[in-house]
């Protein structure tokens, strides 16, 4: 009997919890340095230009909308049918009106076109002196990042220093992709046999998600990437670690056994680990352990995800080239564990 009386109170507590928990999570989320994948969240000069254009156009759209609504209201009230009113005379040819409805749209189009063209020219910048040069290559379905002046090749995660101009060459190894970090600015296509360019200066520290923005096959949606905008010091530390030779584990350790699995298996045909192999079909793995994500930045780089990936990559990413079925590869759980240890040791 007593428990029956407590039910409404319990329900009230449950409702309160349901309201508080998501709010708490939302507040906690705000403290993370990970930015949303949104073009309405500009964090670079290029993105700010687009934002300002959007604001300018929105202003004119609102002004025109308001004027049209006021005109409609005026006409509806002023010329509404009244009992006993005479039938209105139709208007044929009104020079003043015709001039007005020719000039007004021309002005509106100019208000849209002039700032748009200015923005287009302003975002087609050529490299400035001292810009960090990055070569981006789109692959089905992952991004390769090369730093030709620094001798670095990596994948999935692009690192740049904050407030330093970055000049990107955008290319493709297979089909048309599109390079897009919404917070940094516009997207630009990665086209085979062609080099496109994009320049930006990131103005905030943080991790920015991006992704391929051109339908490029089965795993188009799984072709993501991350931009790490770091302090100049942190960027230099990253550069130094990426330029250092890969870890060479003790041959008796689990990682050492993993290295052996790697060296004696199909891995070497597609992947590069400096001093170990020189494949160029898949991502360079020299410093794989230093990345936070893998496989087109769709999985967090941890034991569980690597285990699933190495056991059956074709089940994790539809259409992936590394398909154990078509390649007739089968790895034992021990081999998978050893490979995980080796990959994680490659800091
Ligand atoms: Cu690459 Cu879509």
């Amino acid at each position: 009997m007593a428990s029956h009386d407590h039910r409404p109170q319990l329900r009230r507590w449950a409702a309160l919890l349901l309201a508080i928990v998501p709010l708490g999570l939302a507040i906690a989320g705000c403290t993370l340095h990970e930015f949303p994948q949104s073009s309405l969240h500009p964090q670079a000069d290029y993105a700010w230009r687009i934002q300002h254009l959007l604001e300018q156009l929105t202003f004119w759209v609102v002004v025109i909308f308001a004027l049209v609504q006021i005109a409609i209201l005026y006409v509806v009230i002023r010329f509404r049918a009244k009992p006993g009113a005479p039938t209105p005379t139709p208007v044929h040819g009104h020079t003043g009106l015709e001039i007005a409805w020719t000039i007004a749209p021309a002005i509106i189009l100019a208000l849209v076109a002039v700032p748009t063209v200015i923005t287009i020219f302003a975002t087609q910048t050529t490299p400035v002196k001292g810009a960090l040069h990055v070569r981006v290559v789109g692959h089905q379905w992952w991004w390769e990042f090369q730093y030709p002046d620094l001798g670095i090749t990596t994948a999935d995660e692009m690192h740049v220093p904050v407030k330093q101009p970055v000049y990107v060459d955008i290319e493709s190894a297979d089909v048309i992709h599109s390079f897009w970090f919404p917070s940094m600015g516009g997207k630009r296509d990665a086209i085979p046999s062609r080099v496109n360019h994009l320049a930006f200066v990131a103005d905030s520290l943080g991790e920015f998600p991006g992704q391929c923005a051109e339908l490029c096959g089965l795993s188009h949606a799984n072709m993501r990437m991350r931009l790490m905008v770091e302090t100049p010091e942190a960027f230099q530390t990253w550069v130094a670690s990426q330029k250092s030779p890969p870890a060479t584990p003790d041959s008796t350790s689990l990682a050492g056994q993993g290295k052996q699995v790697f060296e004696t298996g199909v891995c070497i045909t597609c992947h590069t680990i400096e001093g170990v192999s020189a494949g160029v079909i898949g991502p360079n793995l020299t410093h794989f352990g230093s990345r936070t994500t893998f496989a087109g930045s769709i999985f967090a780089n941890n034991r569980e995800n690597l285990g699933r990936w190495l056991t059956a990559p074709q089940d994790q990413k539809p259409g992936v080239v590394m398909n154990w079925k078509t390649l007739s590869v089968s790895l034992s759980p021990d081999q998978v564990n050893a490979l995980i240890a080796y990959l994680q040791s490659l800091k």
Side-chain angles (χ1 to χ4, degrees):
M1 284 295 277
S3 66
H4 189 79
D5 299 330
H6 282 249
R7 243 179 240 169
Q9 212 175 351
L10 266 176
R11 226 174 282 148
R12 235 173 286 142
W13 276 109
L16 190 68
L17 256 177
L18 275 176
I20 286 173
V21 169
L23 186 72
L25 286 175
I27 292 167
C30 293
T31 61
L32 288 177
H33 285 290
E34 197 182 314
F35 287 83
Q37 183 172 304
S38 166
S39 43
L40 297 176
H41 213 280
Q43 302 292 329
D45 58 338
Y46 188 152
W48 277 113
R49 284 184 195 279
I50 295 175
Q51 175 79 7
H52 291 148
L53 176 66
L54 180 68
E55 285 165 4
Q56 219 172 329
L57 297 189
T58 306
F59 172 80
W60 289 118
V61 165
V62 170
V63 168
I64 292 161
F65 177 80
L67 290 178
V68 169
Q69 296 308 309
I70 290 166
I72 289 174
L73 276 177
Y74 171 78
V75 170
V76 164
I77 294 164
R78 172 83 174 72
F79 299 106
R80 69 186 188 282
K82 281 169 238 157
T87 314
T89 337
V91 176
H92 281 291
H94 189 297
T95 315
L97 264 182
E98 282 176 16
I99 289 173
W101 71 53
T102 306
I103 290 178
I107 293 173
I108 294 170
L109 286 180
L111 288 173
V112 174
V114 172
T116 303
V117 172
I118 289 173
T119 306
I120 289 171
F121 278 96
T123 52
Q124 306 300 309
T125 39
T126 46
V128 292
K129 254 196 171 162
L132 174 70
H133 181 200
V134 187
R135 183 171 176 251
V136 173
V137 186
H139 296 257
Q140 282 176 316
W141 290 278
W142 56 282
W143 293 98
E144 180 175 7
F145 301 107
Q146 300 174 1
Y147 296 70
D149 304 331
L150 302 172
I152 292 171
T153 300
T154 184
D156 297 335
E157 293 171 3
M158 178 173 163
H159 290 245
V160 300
V162 71
K163 295 196 166 84
Q164 191 188 318
V166 178
Y167 191 70
V168 188
D169 292 343
I170 302 164
E171 298 170 49
S172 169
D174 36 51
V175 300
I176 301 176
H177 304 275
S178 190
F179 177 78
W180 192 33
F181 281 113
S183 295
M184 296 299 125
K187 59 183 83 124
R188 205 141 292 174
D189 281 2
I191 300 168
S193 312
R194 195 194 146 85
V195 186
N196 278 338
H197 302 281
L198 188 142
F200 66 90
V201 183
D203 58 29
S204 313
L205 297 170
E207 265 187 58
F208 300 90
Q211 72 176 86
C212 178
E214 177 74 48
L215 185 63
C216 57
L218 212 50
S219 269
H220 158 66
N222 295 324
M223 188 168 167
R224 301 184 202 167
M225 55 185 162
R226 304 185 82 71
L227 179 72
M228 315 308 212
V229 180
E230 302 167 321
T231 61
E233 298 75 34
F235 178 72
Q236 285 312 323
T237 307
W238 177 78
V239 168
S241 78
Q242 298 295 305
K243 288 179 76 150
S244 64
T248 42
D250 191 323
S251 61
T252 55
S253 68
L254 188 60
Q257 290 165 32
K259 182 168 184 273
Q260 209 178 5
V261 174
F262 183 90
E263 284 172 323
T264 54
V266 286
C267 316
I268 51 167
T269 48
C270 294
H271 295 284
T272 291
I273 292 178
E274 258 154 60
V276 179
S277 62
V280 292
I281 293 168
N284 183 309
L285 303 175
T286 307
H287 293 285
F288 178 84
S290 71
R291 299 180 203 150
T292 63
T293 55
F294 70 98
S297 200
I298 57 173
F299 301 121
N301 189 353
N302 60 39
R303 277 197 60 82
E304 296 71 41
N305 289 340
L306 275 173
R308 268 195 290 274
W309 177 254
L310 292 172
T311 304
Q314 65 276 4
D315 295 345
Q316 303 298 315
K317 195 175 187 184
V320 67
V321 175
M322 193 167 107
N323 181 326
W324 289 162
K325 279 189 188 147
T326 55
L327 295 170
S328 306
V329 170
S330 78
L331 293 170
S332 69
D334 284 347
Q335 286 175 312
V336 167
N337 278 334
L339 272 176
I340 293 171
Y342 178 46
L343 288 170
Q344 292 196 317
S345 77
L346 298 169
K347 294 284 183 192

